[in-house]
Amino acid sequence: SAKFRFSKLRLMLQEMLSMDFMQNAFIAAVLVAISCGVMGSYVVVNKIAGTAGGVAHASFGGIGLACFLGFSPMLGALGMALVCALVMGYLTWIDRKRSDTLINVIWAAGMAAGVILTDLTPGYSGDLTSFLFGSILTVPHELLWGMGILTALILAVSAFFFRQFLAVSHDPEFARVRGI
């Protein structure tokens, strides 16, 4: 009976993975798991989960701007995420005590700008929840290459600068004195 159930499960998995969109979803899940595992460790050790959430949500302003100006929402989100990450990192580095308030202001402003700009976009009838939540089953094959390159970049930078990240994570004052 157990052998029959295992055989049935194996056939079901083989059938699922024979479809292109399921293969893409599986590959995307593995790449995201690797990237988030590496980056998540740094986020947790440094207690900057608010910054990560702030960057993720503020990037919605980039989606709104991209829709309003008529270019790729992916590029808009990426650009806004990079700008917000740099600003939030700078604010955290300068004044760690007040940075959470400023990060939350950027978080709320980015979300609000995204909602307002998509609402002001003439002829836009898209569903905002698709940008907010998406679906792993709709990841196109072309995007997997970008995800793979980004995952490799994250792994390479993490390996190359591991000692510096470790120093900054565990003793920022010592790292600053050492010029890291």
Side-chain angles (χ1 to χ4, degrees):
S1 174
K3 190 175 184 178
F4 173 74
R5 278 184 264 159
F6 179 74
S7 175
K8 190 174 179 179
L9 177 65
R10 188 176 54 127
L11 288 173
M12 197 168 66
L13 286 174
Q14 283 178 336
E15 184 180 331
M16 276 187 355
L17 289 176
S18 69
M19 297 178 251
D20 286 341
F21 75 94
M22 288 300 289
Q23 292 171 4
N24 289 352
F26 181 74
I27 293 168
V30 169
L31 292 172
V32 167
I34 292 168
S35 298
C36 289
V38 171
M39 298 299 295
S41 300
Y42 183 72
V43 167
V44 170
V45 166
N46 287 289
K47 299 176 183 153
I48 54 173
T51 304
V55 169
H57 287 81
S59 66
F60 188 63
I63 292 171
L65 184 63
C67 289
F68 187 74
L69 296 177
F71 64 94
S72 168
M74 180 86 70
L75 290 176
L78 180 62
M80 184 65 85
L82 290 173
V83 168
C84 289
L86 291 172
V87 169
M88 289 177 191
Y90 178 74
L91 293 173
T92 302
W93 189 257
I94 288 181
D95 187 5
R96 201 169 190 103
K97 293 175 188 145
R98 294 190 187 142
S99 64
D100 62 333
T101 304
L102 297 170
I103 288 168
N104 288 326
V105 167
I106 294 169
W107 179 329
M111 287 293 291
V115 170
I116 290 169
L117 288 170
T118 52
D119 187 54
L120 292 176
T121 301
Y124 179 76
S125 62
D127 183 18
L128 291 181
T129 57
S130 66
F131 287 119
L132 292 172
F133 303 110
S135 173
I136 196 166
L137 296 176
T138 61
V139 174
H141 186 73
E142 299 79 34
L143 189 59
L144 292 177
W145 285 104
M147 292 174 71
I149 291 168
L150 188 58
T151 300
L153 184 66
I154 289 169
L155 290 173
V157 168
S158 297
F160 189 75
F161 292 109
F162 179 74
R163 290 182 183 263
Q164 291 87 342
F165 288 153
L166 195 62
V168 170
S169 296
H170 293 289
D171 195 349
E173 295 298 321
F174 176 73
R176 190 177 302 186
V177 168
R178 297 279 308 210
I180 296 176

